[in-house]
Short mmCIF file of all heavy atoms in Angstrom, two decimals:
data_model
loop_
_atom_site.label_atom_id
_atom_site.label_comp_id
_atom_site.label_asym_id
_atom_site.label_seq_id
_atom_site.Cartn_x
_atom_site.Cartn_y
_atom_site.Cartn_z
N VAL B 1 4.65 130.05 17.32
CA VAL B 1 4.05 131.15 16.58
C VAL B 1 2.71 130.70 15.99
O VAL B 1 2.62 129.67 15.33
CB VAL B 1 4.99 131.66 15.48
CG1 VAL B 1 4.32 132.75 14.66
CG2 VAL B 1 6.29 132.17 16.10
N GLY B 2 1.68 131.47 16.26
CA GLY B 2 0.34 131.14 15.80
C GLY B 2 -0.47 130.32 16.78
O GLY B 2 -1.68 130.14 16.60
N GLN B 3 0.18 129.82 17.83
CA GLN B 3 -0.52 129.00 18.82
C GLN B 3 -0.51 129.60 20.21
O GLN B 3 -1.44 129.39 20.99
CB GLN B 3 0.09 127.59 18.87
CG GLN B 3 -0.06 126.80 17.57
CD GLN B 3 0.40 125.36 17.72
OE1 GLN B 3 0.15 124.73 18.74
NE2 GLN B 3 1.09 124.86 16.70
N GLY B 4 0.54 130.36 20.56
CA GLY B 4 0.57 130.98 21.86
C GLY B 4 1.94 130.93 22.51
O GLY B 4 2.85 130.25 22.04
N ALA B 5 2.06 131.70 23.61
CA ALA B 5 3.31 131.75 24.37
C ALA B 5 2.99 131.66 25.85
O ALA B 5 1.92 132.10 26.30
CB ALA B 5 4.07 133.04 24.06
N TRP B 6 3.95 131.12 26.61
CA TRP B 6 3.72 130.89 28.02
C TRP B 6 4.97 131.17 28.83
O TRP B 6 6.09 131.08 28.34
CB TRP B 6 3.29 129.43 28.25
CG TRP B 6 2.05 129.09 27.52
CD1 TRP B 6 0.76 129.19 27.98
CD2 TRP B 6 1.95 128.61 26.17
NE1 TRP B 6 -0.12 128.81 27.01
CE2 TRP B 6 0.57 128.44 25.89
CE3 TRP B 6 2.88 128.31 25.18
CZ2 TRP B 6 0.11 128.00 24.65
CZ3 TRP B 6 2.43 127.86 23.95
CH2 TRP B 6 1.07 127.71 23.70
N LEU B 7 4.74 131.50 30.10
CA LEU B 7 5.83 131.66 31.07
C LEU B 7 5.59 130.70 32.22
O LEU B 7 4.54 130.75 32.88
CB LEU B 7 5.89 133.10 31.58
CG LEU B 7 6.76 133.33 32.83
CD1 LEU B 7 8.22 132.95 32.56
CD2 LEU B 7 6.66 134.78 33.29
N ASP B 8 6.56 129.85 32.45
CA ASP B 8 6.56 128.96 33.62
C ASP B 8 7.50 129.59 34.64
O ASP B 8 8.72 129.53 34.49
CB ASP B 8 7.04 127.57 33.21
CG ASP B 8 7.10 126.59 34.38
OD1 ASP B 8 7.02 127.03 35.54
OD2 ASP B 8 7.23 125.39 34.13
N ASN B 9 6.93 130.21 35.65
CA ASN B 9 7.70 130.91 36.68
C ASN B 9 7.67 130.07 37.96
O ASN B 9 6.71 130.12 38.73
CB ASN B 9 7.12 132.30 36.94
CG ASN B 9 7.98 133.13 37.88
OD1 ASN B 9 8.94 132.63 38.45
ND2 ASN B 9 7.62 134.39 38.05
N ASN B 10 8.70 129.25 38.11
CA ASN B 10 8.78 128.36 39.27
C ASN B 10 7.54 127.49 39.42
O ASN B 10 7.02 127.29 40.52
CB ASN B 10 9.00 129.17 40.54
CG ASN B 10 10.41 129.75 40.63
OD1 ASN B 10 11.33 129.07 41.05
ND2 ASN B 10 10.56 130.99 40.20
N GLY B 11 7.04 126.98 38.29
CA GLY B 11 5.90 126.08 38.30
C GLY B 11 4.55 126.74 38.12
O GLY B 11 3.54 126.06 37.92
N ASN B 12 4.52 128.07 38.16
CA ASN B 12 3.28 128.82 37.94
C ASN B 12 3.23 129.25 36.48
O ASN B 12 3.97 130.13 36.07
CB ASN B 12 3.22 130.04 38.86
CG ASN B 12 1.95 130.84 38.69
OD1 ASN B 12 0.91 130.30 38.30
ND2 ASN B 12 2.02 132.13 38.95
N VAL B 13 2.37 128.61 35.69
CA VAL B 13 2.33 128.85 34.25
C VAL B 13 1.25 129.87 33.89
O VAL B 13 0.09 129.73 34.29
CB VAL B 13 2.08 127.54 33.48
CG1 VAL B 13 2.03 127.80 31.97
CG2 VAL B 13 3.17 126.52 33.79
N THR B 14 1.64 130.91 33.15
CA THR B 14 0.71 131.92 32.67
C THR B 14 0.90 132.12 31.18
O THR B 14 1.99 131.91 30.65
CB THR B 14 0.92 133.27 33.38
OG1 THR B 14 2.29 133.68 33.23
CG2 THR B 14 0.60 133.17 34.86
N GLU B 15 -0.16 132.52 30.49
CA GLU B 15 -0.07 132.79 29.06
C GLU B 15 0.43 134.21 28.84
O GLU B 15 0.07 135.14 29.58
CB GLU B 15 -1.42 132.60 28.39
CG GLU B 15 -1.37 132.72 26.87
CD GLU B 15 -2.65 132.31 26.18
OE1 GLU B 15 -3.62 131.99 26.91
OE2 GLU B 15 -2.68 132.29 24.94
N LEU B 16 1.25 134.38 27.82
CA LEU B 16 1.78 135.68 27.45
C LEU B 16 1.06 136.18 26.20
O LEU B 16 1.04 135.47 25.19
CB LEU B 16 3.28 135.62 27.19
CG LEU B 16 4.16 135.10 28.34
CD1 LEU B 16 5.62 135.03 27.89
CD2 LEU B 16 4.02 135.99 29.57
N ASN B 17 0.49 137.37 26.28
CA ASN B 17 -0.20 137.93 25.11
C ASN B 17 -0.13 139.45 25.19
O ASN B 17 -0.77 140.08 26.04
CB ASN B 17 -1.66 137.48 25.07
CG ASN B 17 -2.35 137.88 23.77
OD1 ASN B 17 -1.89 138.78 23.07
ND2 ASN B 17 -3.44 137.22 23.45
N ILE B 18 0.68 140.04 24.32
CA ILE B 18 0.83 141.50 24.30
C ILE B 18 0.24 142.11 23.04
O ILE B 18 0.52 143.26 22.71
CB ILE B 18 2.31 141.90 24.43
CG1 ILE B 18 3.15 141.31 23.27
CG2 ILE B 18 2.88 141.47 25.77
CD1 ILE B 18 4.53 141.91 23.15
N SER B 19 -0.60 141.34 22.34
CA SER B 19 -1.11 141.80 21.05
C SER B 19 -1.94 143.07 21.17
O SER B 19 -2.03 143.85 20.21
CB SER B 19 -1.94 140.70 20.38
OG SER B 19 -3.02 140.31 21.22
N GLU B 20 -2.56 143.30 22.33
CA GLU B 20 -3.37 144.51 22.50
C GLU B 20 -2.78 145.44 23.56
O GLU B 20 -3.47 146.36 24.03
CB GLU B 20 -4.80 144.11 22.89
CG GLU B 20 -5.51 143.30 21.80
CD GLU B 20 -6.94 142.96 22.17
OE1 GLU B 20 -7.40 143.40 23.25
OE2 GLU B 20 -7.60 142.25 21.39
N ARG B 21 -1.53 145.25 23.89
CA ARG B 21 -0.91 146.07 24.92
C ARG B 21 -0.59 147.46 24.38
O ARG B 21 0.00 147.61 23.31
CB ARG B 21 0.39 145.41 25.40
CG ARG B 21 1.08 146.17 26.53
CD ARG B 21 2.37 145.48 26.96
NE ARG B 21 2.98 146.13 28.11
CZ ARG B 21 3.82 147.15 28.02
NH1 ARG B 21 4.14 147.63 26.83
NH2 ARG B 21 4.33 147.69 29.10
N ALA B 22 -0.98 148.48 25.12
CA ALA B 22 -0.68 149.86 24.74
C ALA B 22 0.74 150.23 25.19
O ALA B 22 1.26 149.66 26.15
CB ALA B 22 -1.69 150.81 25.38
N ILE B 23 1.35 151.15 24.48
CA ILE B 23 2.69 151.61 24.84
C ILE B 23 2.63 152.40 26.14
O ILE B 23 1.74 153.22 26.36
CB ILE B 23 3.27 152.50 23.72
CG1 ILE B 23 3.37 151.71 22.41
CG2 ILE B 23 4.64 153.04 24.11
CD1 ILE B 23 4.26 150.52 22.47
N ALA B 24 3.59 152.14 27.02
CA ALA B 24 3.65 152.86 28.28
C ALA B 24 4.00 154.33 28.04
O ALA B 24 4.55 154.69 26.99
CB ALA B 24 4.70 152.22 29.19
N ASN B 25 3.67 155.17 28.98
CA ASN B 25 3.97 156.60 28.87
C ASN B 25 4.73 157.06 30.12
O ASN B 25 4.14 157.17 31.19
CB ASN B 25 2.68 157.40 28.72
CG ASN B 25 2.94 158.88 28.47
OD1 ASN B 25 4.04 159.26 28.09
ND2 ASN B 25 1.93 159.71 28.71
N PRO B 26 6.05 157.29 30.00
CA PRO B 26 6.88 157.18 28.80
C PRO B 26 7.16 155.72 28.47
O PRO B 26 7.03 154.85 29.33
CB PRO B 26 8.16 157.91 29.20
CG PRO B 26 8.25 157.72 30.68
CD PRO B 26 6.84 157.75 31.17
N PRO B 27 7.54 155.43 27.21
CA PRO B 27 7.79 154.05 26.81
C PRO B 27 8.97 153.45 27.57
O PRO B 27 9.89 154.16 27.99
CB PRO B 27 8.09 154.16 25.32
CG PRO B 27 8.47 155.58 25.10
CD PRO B 27 7.71 156.37 26.09
N VAL B 28 8.92 152.13 27.74
CA VAL B 28 9.98 151.40 28.43
C VAL B 28 10.86 150.70 27.40
O VAL B 28 10.37 149.90 26.60
CB VAL B 28 9.39 150.37 29.41
CG1 VAL B 28 10.52 149.62 30.11
CG2 VAL B 28 8.48 151.05 30.42
N VAL B 29 12.14 151.03 27.41
CA VAL B 29 13.12 150.46 26.49
C VAL B 29 14.02 149.52 27.28
O VAL B 29 14.46 149.85 28.39
CB VAL B 29 13.96 151.56 25.83
CG1 VAL B 29 14.98 150.96 24.86
CG2 VAL B 29 13.07 152.59 25.14
N VAL B 30 14.30 148.35 26.73
CA VAL B 30 15.22 147.43 27.37
C VAL B 30 16.45 147.28 26.48
O VAL B 30 16.35 147.26 25.25
CB VAL B 30 14.55 146.06 27.65
CG1 VAL B 30 14.15 145.36 26.35
CG2 VAL B 30 15.45 145.16 28.47
N GLY B 31 17.60 147.23 27.12
CA GLY B 31 18.84 147.17 26.35
C GLY B 31 19.89 146.31 27.03
O GLY B 31 19.63 145.64 28.04
N SER B 32 21.09 146.35 26.48
CA SER B 32 22.19 145.50 26.92
C SER B 32 22.63 145.85 28.33
O SER B 32 22.66 147.03 28.72
CB SER B 32 23.37 145.66 25.96
OG SER B 32 24.51 144.99 26.45
N ARG B 33 23.00 144.83 29.07
CA ARG B 33 23.57 145.04 30.39
C ARG B 33 24.95 145.67 30.29
O ARG B 33 25.35 146.46 31.15
CB ARG B 33 23.65 143.69 31.12
CG ARG B 33 24.45 143.68 32.40
CD ARG B 33 23.81 144.52 33.49
NE ARG B 33 22.64 143.86 34.06
CZ ARG B 33 21.78 144.46 34.88
NH1 ARG B 33 21.95 145.73 35.20
NH2 ARG B 33 20.74 143.80 35.37
N SER B 34 25.69 145.35 29.22
CA SER B 34 27.10 145.74 29.15
C SER B 34 27.32 147.14 28.56
O SER B 34 28.19 147.87 29.02
CB SER B 34 27.89 144.70 28.35
OG SER B 34 27.32 144.52 27.06
N HIS B 35 26.55 147.51 27.54
CA HIS B 35 26.79 148.82 26.94
C HIS B 35 25.64 149.22 26.01
O HIS B 35 24.89 148.37 25.54
CB HIS B 35 28.10 148.82 26.14
CG HIS B 35 28.04 148.01 24.90
ND1 HIS B 35 28.16 146.64 24.89
CD2 HIS B 35 27.83 148.36 23.59
CE1 HIS B 35 28.05 146.18 23.67
NE2 HIS B 35 27.84 147.19 22.85
N ILE B 36 25.56 150.52 25.76
CA ILE B 36 24.63 151.06 24.76
C ILE B 36 25.47 151.53 23.57
O ILE B 36 26.34 152.40 23.72
CB ILE B 36 23.81 152.23 25.32
CG1 ILE B 36 22.93 151.77 26.49
CG2 ILE B 36 22.95 152.85 24.23
CD1 ILE B 36 21.86 150.77 26.11
N SER B 37 25.24 150.97 22.40
CA SER B 37 26.03 151.34 21.23
C SER B 37 25.65 152.75 20.77
O SER B 37 24.57 153.25 21.06
CB SER B 37 25.78 150.35 20.09
OG SER B 37 24.49 150.54 19.54
N PRO B 38 26.56 153.40 20.03
CA PRO B 38 26.23 154.74 19.51
C PRO B 38 24.97 154.74 18.65
O PRO B 38 24.19 155.70 18.69
CB PRO B 38 27.47 155.09 18.68
CG PRO B 38 28.58 154.31 19.31
CD PRO B 38 27.95 153.02 19.75
#
């Protein structure tokens, strides 16, 4: 935190930065594989 984030995808390293990312239209929600609670 405060220094950066990275993804190493099978040896291919990229920086992750969503600080200026706009919300998708419609927005994308991610949730549990097993269930959605009430």
Side-chain angles (χ1 to χ4, degrees):
V1 177
Q3 296 187 40
W6 300 269
L7 167 61
D8 179 346
N9 187 353
N10 288 277
N12 180 28
V13 179
T14 55
E15 186 171 3
L16 302 177
N17 188 340
I18 59 167
S19 58
E20 297 182 4
R21 183 181 185 273
I23 300 298
N25 185 17
V28 179
V29 180
V30 64
S32 172
R33 169 67 74 190
S34 56
H35 70 280
I36 297 295
S37 72

